[in-house]
């Protein structure tokens, strides 16, 4: 199982979370990555944790003020990027363009989507992975694997019908080891979470609890 922690724009210490994630990953053998704000990619990458961008833009070098260049994210230390998170939606053409940009910079990609139908469409664009996240459950502490497990199994099936090489992650409301096991049982190969770690009083303890059932 792959654990990807999205720090969003939460007022946490990204280096503290990243250090905890690196230690938990080393101790457990579980793949754990952190996606900080773009300006913090370098500092997070220096901790040794697998580092992802939260977003890159569908642009090349040139006159693109305010854009996040894929090459800049990679040069700062990112090895992958999220795309189309529910808090930063993209048009289909922009997702496709951002995937091309990520490929150019050798970044792994996960495209987020709301439901199985959107997961199928995203998988057709040939990302490395997709993440199903019903937006109404994000940040609630109620995981989609409990609230509506059919969304997860439906997403896994939808991706497999289109592209069997695409990994499917489960997001929204993930915060405990039980949630991780439930996602795995439903066919997901990883989880995408944010507040369960980024807003935790003790991020290290939260991550240890999350991966404990896998040990």
């Amino acid at each position: 199982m792959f654990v990807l922690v999205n720090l969003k724009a939460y007022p946490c210490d990204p280096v503290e979370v990243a250090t905890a994630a690196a230690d938990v990953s080393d101790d457990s053998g579980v793949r754990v990555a952190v996606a900080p704000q773009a300006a913090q990619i370098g500092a997070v990458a220096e901790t040794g944790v697998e580092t992802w961008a939260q977003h890159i833009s569908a642009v090349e070098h040139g006159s693109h003020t305010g854009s996040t260049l894929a090459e800049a994210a990679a040069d700062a230390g990112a090895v992958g990027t999220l795309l189309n998170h529910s808090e930063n939606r993209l048009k289909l053409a922009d997702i496709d363009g951002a995937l091309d940009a990520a490929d150019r910079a050798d970044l792994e990609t996960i495209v987020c989507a709301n439901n199985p139908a959107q997961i199928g469409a995203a998988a057709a664009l040939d990302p490395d992975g997709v993440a199903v996240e019903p937006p109404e459950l994000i940040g609630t502490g109620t995981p989609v694997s409990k609230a509506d497990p059919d969304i997860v199994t439906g997403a896994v099936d939808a991706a497999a019908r289109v592209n069997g090489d695409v990994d499917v992650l489960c997001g929204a409301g993930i915060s405990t080891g039980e949630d991780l096991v439930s996602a795995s049982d439903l066919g997901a190969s990883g989880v995408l979470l944010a507040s369960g770690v980024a807003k935790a009083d003790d991020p290290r303890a939260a991550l240890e609890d999350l991966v404990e059932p896998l040990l």
Side-chain angles (χ1 to χ4, degrees):
M1 292 289 282
F2 177 33
V3 176
L4 178 52
V5 181
N6 177 14
L7 299 186
K8 301 191 176 183
Y10 287 134
C12 60
D13 181 340
V15 172
E16 177 189 3
V17 176
T19 300
D23 290 345
V24 170
S25 182
D26 288 344
D27 292 344
S28 67
V30 177
R31 183 185 177 193
V32 181
V34 175
Q37 287 281 299
Q40 297 162 339
I41 289 173
V44 166
E46 285 181 1
T47 69
V49 77
E50 181 177 332
T51 305
W52 282 52
Q54 294 180 11
H55 167 80
I56 59 166
S57 305
V59 299
E60 300 181 5
H61 288 279
S63 304
H64 304 293
T65 301
S67 297
T68 301
L69 188 68
E71 287 85 352
D75 287 347
V79 299
T81 185
L82 293 171
L83 293 170
N84 197 49
H85 191 276
S86 64
E87 296 157 359
N88 192 7
R89 285 290 183 215
L90 301 173
K91 295 178 181 178
L92 189 64
D94 290 331
I95 297 173
D96 197 26
L99 287 169
D100 287 343
D103 185 60
R104 205 175 58 232
D106 199 26
L107 293 172
E108 192 173 343
T109 51
I110 292 176
V111 177
C112 302
N114 291 355
N115 54 53
Q118 291 183 14
I119 285 291
L125 297 175
D126 200 29
D128 295 295
V130 291
V132 60
E133 284 197 307
E136 65 273 14
L137 295 177
I138 293 176
T140 64
T142 301
V144 62
S145 54
K146 289 183 179 178
D148 194 345
D150 289 346
I151 289 180
V152 182
T153 55
V156 171
D157 291 343
R161 285 196 299 270
V162 174
N163 187 339
D165 293 330
V166 173
D167 292 327
V168 179
L169 280 72
C170 171
I174 303 293
S175 61
T176 69
E178 181 183 356
D179 299 338
L180 191 65
V181 171
S182 295
S184 178
D185 289 345
L186 293 170
S189 57
V191 293
L192 176 61
L193 73 158
S195 59
V197 173
K199 296 176 74 173
D201 292 334
D202 187 341
R204 183 184 301 270
L207 284 163
E208 288 173 343
D209 175 70
L210 192 71
V211 305
E212 193 276 333
L214 301 180
L215 304 182

